[in-house]
Amino acid sequence: MLRFATIILLATVSLAQNVVHYTTTNSNVKYLFATAEPVGHLKSGDILDTNTLDCFGNGLRKPGDTLDMAKGDNPLAGPFFVEGAEPGDTLAIKILDLQVDGDTGVGAFSPGFGSINASHYTPMLEKSPWQERVWFYHIDHAANTATFKALDSDFSVKIPMHPFFGCLGVAPANGEARSSIVPAEFGGNMDSPEASVGNTVYFPVNVKGGLLYLGDGHAAMGDGEAAGSAIEVPLKARVQLSVIKGRHIEWPQFENDDAIMTVGAYRPLEDATRIAMTELVHWIHKDYGLSEMDAYELLSKVGKVHLNEMVDPNYVVVASIEKKYLPVKK
Amino acid sequence: MLRFATIILLATVSLAQNVVHYTTTNSNVKYLFATAEPVGHLKSGDILDTNTLDCFGNGLRKPGDTLDMAKGDNPLAGPFFVEGAEPGDTLAIKILDLQVDGDTGVGAFSPGFGSINASHYTPMLEKSPWQERVWFYHIDHAANTATFKALDSDFSVKIPMHPFFGCLGVAPANGEARSSIVPAEFGGNMDSPEASVGNTVYFPVNVKGGLLYLGDGHAAMGDGEAAGSAIEVPLKARVQLSVIKGRHIEWPQFENDDAIMTVGAYRPLEDATRIAMTELVHWIHKDYGLSEMDAYELLSKVGKVHLNEMVDPNYVVVASIEKKYLPVKK
Amino acid sequence: MLRFATIILLATVSLAQNVVHYTTTNSNVKYLFATAEPVGHLKSGDILDTNTLDCFGNGLRKPGDTLDMAKGDNPLAGPFFVEGAEPGDTLAIKILDLQVDGDTGVGAFSPGFGSINASHYTPMLEKSPWQERVWFYHIDHAANTATFKALDSDFSVKIPMHPFFGCLGVAPANGEARSSIVPAEFGGNMDSPEASVGNTVYFPVNVKGGLLYLGDGHAAMGDGEAAGSAIEVPLKARVQLSVIKGRHIEWPQFENDDAIMTVGAYRPLEDATRIAMTELVHWIHKDYGLSEMDAYELLSKVGKVHLNEMVDPNYVVVASIEKKYLPVKK
Amino acid sequence: MLRFATIILLATVSLAQNVVHYTTTNSNVKYLFATAEPVGHLKSGDILDTNTLDCFGNGLRKPGDTLDMAKGDNPLAGPFFVEGAEPGDTLAIKILDLQVDGDTGVGAFSPGFGSINASHYTPMLEKSPWQERVWFYHIDHAANTATFKALDSDFSVKIPMHPFFGCLGVAPANGEARSSIVPAEFGGNMDSPEASVGNTVYFPVNVKGGLLYLGDGHAAMGDGEAAGSAIEVPLKARVQLSVIKGRHIEWPQFENDDAIMTVGAYRPLEDATRIAMTELVHWIHKDYGLSEMDAYELLSKVGKVHLNEMVDPNYVVVASIEKKYLPVKK
């Protein structure tokens, strides 16, 4: 009896959770979050089983390789069309599984990019700019670590892996097409460690089908992504896509069993933080029934603010609150 | 033999760790971080046993009390003179014990103050500004919680307490006197949850004796101190003060057994973050021997950035790295 | 002999300066700076004689009209393809003539947009936001004035007109398509009063033909475009387009007989200013031969900084120096 | 009869405009805006006739002199006590005459200071920082010019002089003492070219007597004071001090026959601009009777924004409107 029940359950799941497989290669990647021809179609509730290339198009593999060997910046898998998604809806992506695809991760300092060196959007007169450097990280799948090896001294240390998508987003509103290095209202290059297994990310649907893009896997990353890169890796990924009809959001959100999280993706950092915080107050007010002032006060006591990155064309901040501090959802 | 040794050790400690008691009241508090007449003198290694008033001078005690009943903003205990501290040295404050002093905490929204409302330094034309609101938190010492009670609906929730000093700092450099609501190079109103038991904070010594001030206890606080207040409480405190001769720092630092942490206290948030990050790279480079570029890369993989507050005249960010990721200290 | 020479010269000019006429209407405007099908082709040196609609698609004409009557935001004439323009070149647009096209200008306050009210990218919790307001300005062509009439009191005043393009730009790099409300490296919604008769604007060519767009005429505007609009007007325009082969620029520039000017278009305002200033130092260094430090020092004594706008998705600053302070151009 | 009347009038003026002479030297200067012992007392309406040292205490005089020869940063004349000035009043300083005191001006690049190089509050990791440079400017009093001479090439150019006070301010509120390199609510190191002959500057009175300080003369300066210095000069100055009883202001203001001007002095630049703009809207609303929204709209059409400096611990912006655009003052 028990066995029979299990079979029925699996069948049910199988019906609802059709799995779409897609293989991403350098010949089918995109470099824009834009309205483009879908490479796959899914029904709401379907699972996407795919892979992503690292931010260099897997072009740097071993010590001595240089940044000019990168095959484009932040190649994206997709776009994936989700049936029934219409502008004004919300697209939910539940991240089911992420595995580092390979044995090597890459970190890089690229002149003109980074949080505490002169950069394209924060230029300084420089007498002698820092030059390109590349670090390679050995991935130990069994131990779930990546190893940092210093370039200028004899030191190495193992870093626990926490794989996540650096890039995750949909086609922007108003017909815009944005480079895959940009995060904004449509998600994009958010570099959010929150884009990891166990979390669901929500995006505003701006065009029919939503048009999801994924890429830029990270095996681990520090807050702010200080020097401009994470441990950059290809990923194997399983995500479930669902359409939430009639729920309208302005900015991306994350959610899991324990917390609700809002994303601010803009410059300056104050504005990114203000966006995330106001969105979180509005969410609490709307779905959990606290007044705006009570929600504001509560955040002032138990809210969290996570600086994701301060290096991309927009900066990304995630504000969050644990559900245990909130009333029952309305 | 062992027992004998222990006794000697205790005797030594007892000699070094003289305890200075000081009682803080509304009649002896200060409202400036400045060069002023000390209220107590300690030797390096001595322990200060004192109390602090809450940010309202303990003026608000029960529902119905209003902000005009506050006895000054951020009253400070001190200053305490530490013998041997000279400009160019570093003053270390090890926080040994912090207890909430009383049964009530206070949160308040004050018009013109806060991260996502128009404020003194981020003014907006407002048609109808938000008005003052005050929340009272019952402290349960046994359970180590403070209870939030919504003002506009019937909801309450317990918040675990993490007591820390909102204000901790020394006399500023160059003869400046700064209001106790300001954080900057001298520490001050940092609102750093890192100023809690188990951590040591380092300040640059700018004047003879250092002149330590303490105050503005917080029972708990969210990242960014969104609405402008924590759970504001009086504290009972024990801290050990030590002079580190010849160690020169530019900005405050924290340290515990597990991590080193740097403080950036300025506006905009980008600059606060840049200060904390560059100071952390320099610290790793100087004391742990990694090259600046290796340290920068390592932070990009495992560094932490904690937004303390985004409401005071300067914003405060703490950057940190766990020692387990660093080489052995030189 | 002299007379004969003059005739030949005129004939040459006439040959070089072919005039292309194009009529812009609501049915052929665009709302993106993007790579799109050209509506006209010009040779380098040709003159474009066209018209632009106001930022509301000429939808608001008289007191009582409301913002929901706008036919799109910032409709653009174009794109115009300039033969010979290749990525890496510079496109020069000399503004020969601008006339306000009609008798009415419009100003508007739109909730969520403006420099000193809560906005989309600088959100605040608001108890009661400001509501939409629209002002109409009578244009007196003979006197060259537009008349402000207060809505809430009996006051009016004449403002001298200085017509310029709010939007002027080319197709962005990397395949991006940007909304016509955005200024950035490709120009766009710069709201630069410098885009007026007598000045030449330079843009980086990112795609074959450059693909110039024009629109969003302003009869007059204050620094910063504080409340979010200028005196918005349709324009009649004559501009000369030229390709400068092999001159590569990163950001837009202006030039006239008296000055060189650089554009920074980003957030925060510090970064927009840094971009404009560093570009100006580099320009002086490259074309006028001063060392970077001498150029920096000279700007510190005679440079100008003009805040164009602080309301759009990016802010725009123009830095400039008068040529009389520079060495002879190399 | 007429002649007699004139004589009486002159006599009255003479009585009201008592002239107080004070000689400033390196032995009586101050380095703080603070509550301190006055060096002179004036009645409201009196004229102060004094001199100021340059920002280096006149320590650098000729090519080859270096920054370590500076006798302090921004030495100040004062403080001057104005009788009748009480907290809540406004102190008006009418600038009657400013003359460069000597034949040499100085410009300097100091590592860690400047708008487009790594600095104390905008630190960057630098491989090789720029080194100190000093420029000397010959003052031609008859031609009213100062001559820039390039250090790295054979070029010189004459710059018209526009002398103004870099430092002008009063004792801060709340007992603060601020370094003479800081501008804020109390004025201070505003580096405002508006602090020149023909203009009146208004400061909030924070302490009895107001306590005016002056210094840091500039013979000419570019917008933003890009590299961190103006043409630094000693000055001879005549200013008239008046108390405006019962007029309360929050930030400094300027006024002349043609315009009203407000000062924002903070970081980031957005906030400095927001302060100046909101103060200007409030001023127009209060004294000239336009509604806030009409004033906002009018600024959006004819307002001016002047970046004074983007190098000091706070940035300074002046917003202004010409009186010809305003209703008659109430």
Side-chain angles (χ1 to χ4, degrees):
Chain A
M1 288 299 288
L2 188 64
R3 197 181 171 204
F4 183 70
T6 305
I7 289 165
I8 287 183
L9 177 64
L10 284 174
T12 307
V13 170
S14 171
L15 278 174
Q17 299 185 325
N18 190 39
V19 178
V20 173
H21 297 272
Y22 180 78
T23 302
T24 307
T25 68
N26 267 307
S27 63
N28 63 19
V29 292
K30 309 297 183 310
Y31 294 97
L32 290 169
F33 290 90
T35 301
E37 192 62 31
V39 300
H41 283 72
L42 293 93
K43 289 195 173 58
S44 181
D46 280 0
I47 287 171
L48 173 65
D49 184 343
T50 189
N51 69 301
T52 61
L53 309 186
D54 77 14
C55 69
F56 309 109
N58 297 359
L60 282 71
R61 305 318 309 155
K62 59 181 191 309
D65 288 359
T66 50
L67 289 175
D68 58 3
M69 299 168 70
K71 296 163 181 160
D73 283 342
N74 284 0
L76 302 170
F80 299 96
F81 185 103
V82 188
E83 290 177 19
E86 302 279 348
D89 296 338
T90 286
L91 185 64
I93 298 97
K94 184 167 187 180
I95 301 171
L96 303 174
D97 191 43
L98 287 181
Q99 300 293 335
V100 173
D101 189 10
D103 295 337
T104 302
V106 186
F109 172 78
S110 177
F113 198 71
S115 60
I116 46 173
N117 53 278
S119 61
H120 180 66
Y121 291 120
T122 309
M124 299 278 170
L125 296 179
E126 284 187 288
K127 201 173 161 195
S128 170
W130 295 97
Q131 297 304 304
E132 169 185 333
R133 303 298 293 270
V134 182
W135 292 258
F136 289 88
Y137 293 77
H138 176 68
I139 306 292
D140 182 333
H141 290 276
N144 195 42
T145 60
T147 300
F148 167 80
K149 266 184 68 68
L151 295 182
D152 299 325
S153 61
D154 183 23
F155 173 70
S156 68
V157 66
K158 290 181 194 307
I159 297 170
M161 293 201 294
H162 170 76
F164 64 94
F165 292 113
C167 284
L168 193 60
V170 295
N174 303 318
E176 284 205 317
R178 301 304 312 273
S179 156
S180 59
I181 65 160
V182 177
E185 289 94 327
F186 60 91
N189 188 21
M190 299 191 295
D191 290 321
S192 298
E194 285 80 1
S196 57
V197 171
N199 288 351
T200 297
V201 57
Y202 302 113
F203 292 117
V205 175
N206 299 304
V207 301
K208 203 175 158 65
L211 299 183
L212 182 75
Y213 294 85
L214 319 89
D216 187 23
H218 293 169
M221 191 182 87
D223 296 343
E225 202 182 12
S229 76
I231 300 178
E232 308 288 338
V233 291
L235 290 176
K236 291 179 180 168
R238 277 171 67 92
V239 299
Q240 184 182 23
L241 310 189
S242 309
V243 178
I244 305 175
K245 295 300 295 181
R247 179 160 181 252
H248 175 68
I249 59 176
E250 298 259 332
W251 292 90
Q253 302 173 336
F254 290 99
E255 185 171 10
N256 60 28
D257 291 345
D258 298 328
I260 59 172
M261 301 167 248
T262 51
V263 176
Y266 219 66
R267 285 195 186 192
L269 212 39
E270 277 90 338
D271 281 347
T273 308
R274 285 174 187 132
I275 290 165
M277 282 186 176
T278 51
E279 291 294 306
L280 192 51
V281 169
H282 293 320
W283 191 353
I284 294 170
H285 176 56
K286 191 175 166 197
D287 282 8
Y288 296 88
L290 289 181
S291 73
E292 286 178 305
M293 272 289 133
D294 276 330
Y296 193 18
E297 168 71 5
L298 187 55
L299 285 187
S300 199
K301 302 324 180 243
V302 299
K304 293 289 168 196
V305 174
H306 182 201
L307 173 60
N308 288 349
E309 57 80 16
M310 197 178 88
V311 293
D312 295 327
N314 289 321
Y315 302 148
V316 176
V317 165
V318 170
S320 63
I321 186 169
E322 289 179 80
K323 290 176 178 176
K324 68 183 179 192
Y325 294 121
L326 295 175
V328 176
K329 194 174 175 181
K330 290 196 293 188
Chain B
M1 288 298 287
L2 189 64
R3 196 181 172 206
F4 182 70
T6 306
I7 289 165
I8 287 183
L9 179 62
L10 284 175
T12 308
V13 169
S14 171
L15 279 174
Q17 298 183 326
N18 189 40
V19 177
V20 173
H21 298 272
Y22 181 78
T23 302
T24 306
T25 68
N26 268 307
S27 64
N28 63 19
V29 291
K30 309 296 183 313
Y31 294 97
L32 290 169
F33 291 90
T35 301
E37 192 63 31
V39 298
H41 282 72
L42 294 91
K43 291 197 173 58
S44 183
D46 280 0
I47 287 172
L48 173 65
D49 184 343
T50 189
N51 68 302
T52 61
L53 308 187
D54 77 14
C55 68
F56 309 109
N58 296 0
L60 283 72
R61 303 320 306 157
K62 58 181 189 310
D65 286 0
T66 52
L67 290 175
D68 56 4
M69 299 167 70
K71 296 164 183 161
D73 283 341
N74 284 0
L76 302 170
F80 298 95
F81 185 102
V82 188
E83 289 176 20
E86 302 279 348
D89 296 338
T90 286
L91 184 64
I93 298 98
K94 184 168 187 178
I95 302 171
L96 303 174
D97 190 44
L98 287 181
Q99 300 295 333
V100 173
D101 188 11
D103 294 337
T104 302
V106 185
F109 172 77
S110 177
F113 198 70
S115 62
I116 46 173
N117 53 276
S119 61
H120 179 66
Y121 291 121
T122 308
M124 298 278 170
L125 296 179
E126 283 187 288
K127 202 175 160 194
S128 171
W130 295 98
Q131 298 303 306
E132 169 185 331
R133 302 298 294 270
V134 182
W135 291 258
F136 289 86
Y137 293 76
H138 176 68
I139 306 293
D140 181 334
H141 289 278
N144 195 42
T145 59
T147 300
F148 167 79
K149 265 183 70 66
L151 295 182
D152 299 326
S153 61
D154 183 22
F155 172 70
S156 68
V157 67
K158 289 181 192 308
I159 297 170
M161 293 200 294
H162 171 75
F164 64 95
F165 292 113
C167 283
L168 195 59
V170 295
N174 303 319
E176 283 205 317
R178 302 304 312 274
S179 156
S180 59
I181 66 160
V182 177
E185 289 93 328
F186 59 90
N189 188 22
M190 298 192 296
D191 290 321
S192 297
E194 286 79 1
S196 56
V197 171
N199 287 352
T200 297
V201 56
Y202 302 113
F203 293 116
V205 175
N206 299 304
V207 300
K208 200 173 161 64
L211 298 184
L212 181 74
Y213 295 85
L214 319 89
D216 187 24
H218 292 170
M221 192 184 86
D223 295 345
E225 202 182 12
S229 76
I231 299 178
E232 308 289 339
V233 290
L235 289 175
K236 289 179 181 170
R238 277 172 66 93
V239 300
Q240 184 182 23
L241 310 188
S242 309
V243 177
I244 306 175
K245 296 299 296 180
R247 178 158 182 252
H248 175 68
I249 59 176
E250 298 259 332
W251 291 90
Q253 302 174 334
F254 290 99
E255 184 170 12
N256 61 29
D257 291 346
D258 298 327
I260 58 173
M261 302 167 248
T262 50
V263 175
Y266 219 64
R267 286 196 184 190
L269 212 38
E270 278 89 338
D271 281 347
T273 308
R274 286 174 186 130
I275 290 164
M277 283 185 174
T278 51
E279 290 294 306
L280 192 51
V281 168
H282 294 318
W283 191 353
I284 295 170
H285 175 55
K286 191 174 166 198
D287 281 8
Y288 295 88
L290 289 181
S291 73
E292 287 179 304
M293 273 287 134
D294 277 331
Y296 193 17
E297 168 71 4
L298 187 56
L299 285 188
S300 198
K301 304 319 182 247
V302 300
K304 293 289 169 195
V305 174
H306 182 202
L307 174 59
N308 288 351
E309 57 81 16
M310 196 179 88
V311 293
D312 295 328
N314 288 321
Y315 302 148
V316 175
V317 165
V318 170
S320 64
I321 186 168
E322 290 179 78
K323 290 176 177 175
K324 68 183 180 191
Y325 294 122
L326 294 175
V328 175
K329 195 174 174 181
K330 290 197 292 188
Chain C
M1 287 300 286
L2 189 63
R3 196 184 172 201
F4 183 70
T6 305
I7 287 165
I8 287 181
L9 177 63
L10 285 174
T12 307
V13 170
S14 171
L15 278 175
Q17 298 185 325
N18 190 40
V19 178
V20 172
H21 298 272
Y22 180 77
T23 302
T24 305
T25 68
N26 268 307
S27 63
N28 63 19
V29 290
K30 309 297 184 310
Y31 294 96
L32 290 169
F33 290 89
T35 301
E37 192 64 30
V39 300
H41 283 73
L42 293 93
K43 289 195 173 59
S44 182
D46 280 1
I47 288 170
L48 172 65
D49 184 344
T50 189
N51 67 302
T52 60
L53 309 186
D54 76 15
C55 68
F56 310 109
N58 297 359
L60 282 71
R61 303 319 306 157
K62 59 182 190 309
D65 287 0
T66 51
L67 289 175
D68 57 4
M69 300 168 70
K71 297 165 181 159
D73 282 342
N74 284 1
L76 301 170
F80 299 95
F81 185 102
V82 187
E83 290 177 18
E86 303 279 348
D89 295 338
T90 286
L91 184 63
I93 298 97
K94 184 168 187 179
I95 302 171
L96 303 174
D97 191 43
L98 287 180
Q99 299 294 334
V100 174
D101 188 10
D103 295 337
T104 304
V106 185
F109 172 78
S110 177
F113 198 71
S115 60
I116 46 173
N117 52 279
S119 61
H120 180 67
Y121 290 120
T122 308
M124 298 278 170
L125 296 179
E126 284 186 289
K127 202 175 162 195
S128 172
W130 295 97
Q131 299 302 306
E132 169 184 332
R133 303 299 294 270
V134 182
W135 291 258
F136 289 88
Y137 293 77
H138 176 66
I139 306 293
D140 182 334
H141 291 276
N144 195 41
T145 60
T147 300
F148 166 79
K149 265 182 69 66
L151 294 182
D152 299 325
S153 61
D154 183 24
F155 173 70
S156 69
V157 66
K158 290 181 192 307
I159 297 170
M161 293 201 293
H162 171 75
F164 64 94
F165 292 113
C167 283
L168 194 59
V170 295
N174 304 319
E176 283 205 319
R178 301 304 313 272
S179 157
S180 59
I181 65 159
V182 178
E185 289 94 327
F186 59 91
N189 188 22
M190 298 191 295
D191 289 322
S192 298
E194 285 80 0
S196 57
V197 171
N199 287 352
T200 297
V201 56
Y202 302 113
F203 293 118
V205 175
N206 300 305
V207 301
K208 202 174 158 65
L211 299 182
L212 181 75
Y213 295 83
L214 319 89
D216 186 24
H218 291 171
M221 192 183 86
D223 295 345
E225 202 182 11
S229 75
I231 300 179
E232 308 289 338
V233 289
L235 289 176
K236 290 179 180 168
R238 278 171 66 93
V239 299
Q240 184 182 22
L241 309 188
S242 308
V243 178
I244 306 175
K245 296 300 295 180
R247 179 161 181 250
H248 175 68
I249 59 176
E250 298 260 332
W251 291 91
Q253 301 173 336
F254 290 98
E255 184 171 11
N256 60 28
D257 290 346
D258 298 327
I260 58 173
M261 301 168 249
T262 50
V263 175
Y266 219 65
R267 285 194 186 194
L269 211 40
E270 277 89 338
D271 281 346
T273 307
R274 286 175 186 129
I275 290 166
M277 281 185 175
T278 52
E279 290 294 305
L280 192 53
V281 168
H282 293 319
W283 191 353
I284 294 170
H285 176 55
K286 191 174 167 199
D287 282 7
Y288 295 87
L290 289 181
S291 73
E292 287 179 304
M293 273 288 133
D294 277 331
Y296 193 18
E297 167 73 5
L298 187 55
L299 285 187
S300 199
K301 302 325 181 241
V302 299
K304 293 288 168 196
V305 174
H306 182 201
L307 173 60
N308 288 350
E309 57 80 17
M310 197 178 89
V311 293
D312 295 328
N314 288 321
Y315 302 147
V316 176
V317 164
V318 170
S320 63
I321 187 170
E322 291 179 78
K323 291 177 177 175
K324 68 184 178 191
Y325 293 121
L326 295 175
V328 175
K329 195 174 174 180
K330 290 197 293 188
Chain D
M1 286 300 287
L2 189 64
R3 197 182 170 204
F4 182 70
T6 305
I7 289 165
I8 287 182
L9 178 64
L10 286 175
T12 307
V13 170
S14 171
L15 280 173
Q17 298 185 327
N18 188 41
V19 178
V20 172
H21 297 272
Y22 180 77
T23 302
T24 306
T25 68
N26 268 306
S27 63
N28 62 19
V29 291
K30 310 296 182 312
Y31 294 96
L32 290 168
F33 290 90
T35 301
E37 193 62 31
V39 299
H41 283 72
L42 295 91
K43 291 198 172 58
S44 181
D46 280 0
I47 288 171
L48 172 65
D49 184 345
T50 188
N51 67 302
T52 61
L53 307 186
D54 76 15
C55 68
F56 309 109
N58 297 359
L60 282 73
R61 305 319 306 156
K62 59 179 188 310
D65 287 359
T66 51
L67 289 175
D68 57 3
M69 300 167 69
K71 296 166 182 158
D73 282 341
N74 284 0
L76 302 170
F80 298 95
F81 185 103
V82 187
E83 291 177 18
E86 303 279 346
D89 296 337
T90 287
L91 184 65
I93 299 97
K94 184 167 187 179
I95 302 171
L96 303 174
D97 190 43
L98 287 181
Q99 300 294 333
V100 174
D101 187 11
D103 295 336
T104 303
V106 185
F109 172 78
S110 177
F113 199 70
S115 60
I116 47 173
N117 52 277
S119 61
H120 180 66
Y121 291 120
T122 308
M124 299 275 171
L125 296 180
E126 284 187 289
K127 203 174 161 193
S128 172
W130 295 98
Q131 298 304 305
E132 170 184 332
R133 303 297 294 271
V134 182
W135 292 258
F136 289 87
Y137 293 76
H138 176 69
I139 306 293
D140 182 333
H141 290 276
N144 195 43
T145 60
T147 299
F148 167 80
K149 266 184 68 68
L151 294 182
D152 299 325
S153 61
D154 183 22
F155 172 70
S156 68
V157 65
K158 289 181 193 308
I159 296 170
M161 294 201 293
H162 170 76
F164 64 94
F165 293 111
C167 283
L168 193 60
V170 294
N174 303 319
E176 284 205 318
R178 302 303 313 273
S179 155
S180 59
I181 66 160
V182 177
E185 289 94 327
F186 59 90
N189 189 20
M190 300 192 294
D191 290 322
S192 299
E194 286 79 1
S196 57
V197 171
N199 288 351
T200 297
V201 56
Y202 302 114
F203 292 117
V205 175
N206 299 304
V207 300
K208 201 174 159 65
L211 298 184
L212 181 75
Y213 294 86
L214 318 89
D216 187 24
H218 292 170
M221 191 183 87
D223 295 344
E225 202 181 13
S229 75
I231 300 178
E232 308 290 339
V233 289
L235 290 176
K236 290 179 181 170
R238 278 171 67 91
V239 299
Q240 184 183 22
L241 310 188
S242 310
V243 179
I244 306 177
K245 295 300 294 180
R247 178 159 182 252
H248 175 67
I249 58 176
E250 298 260 331
W251 292 89
Q253 303 173 335
F254 290 99
E255 184 170 11
N256 60 29
D257 291 346
D258 297 327
I260 58 173
M261 303 168 248
T262 51
V263 175
Y266 219 65
R267 286 194 183 193
L269 212 38
E270 278 90 339
D271 281 347
T273 308
R274 286 176 186 129
I275 291 165
M277 282 185 176
T278 51
E279 291 294 305
L280 192 52
V281 168
H282 293 319
W283 191 353
I284 294 170
H285 175 55
K286 191 175 166 198
D287 282 6
Y288 295 88
L290 288 181
S291 73
E292 286 178 306
M293 273 288 134
D294 277 330
Y296 193 18
E297 167 72 5
L298 187 55
L299 285 188
S300 199
K301 302 324 181 240
V302 299
K304 293 289 168 196
V305 174
H306 182 201
L307 174 60
N308 288 351
E309 57 80 17
M310 197 179 87
V311 293
D312 295 328
N314 289 321
Y315 302 147
V316 176
V317 165
V318 170
S320 63
I321 186 169
E322 291 179 79
K323 290 177 178 174
K324 68 183 178 190
Y325 294 121
L326 295 175
V328 175
K329 194 174 174 181
K330 290 198 292 188

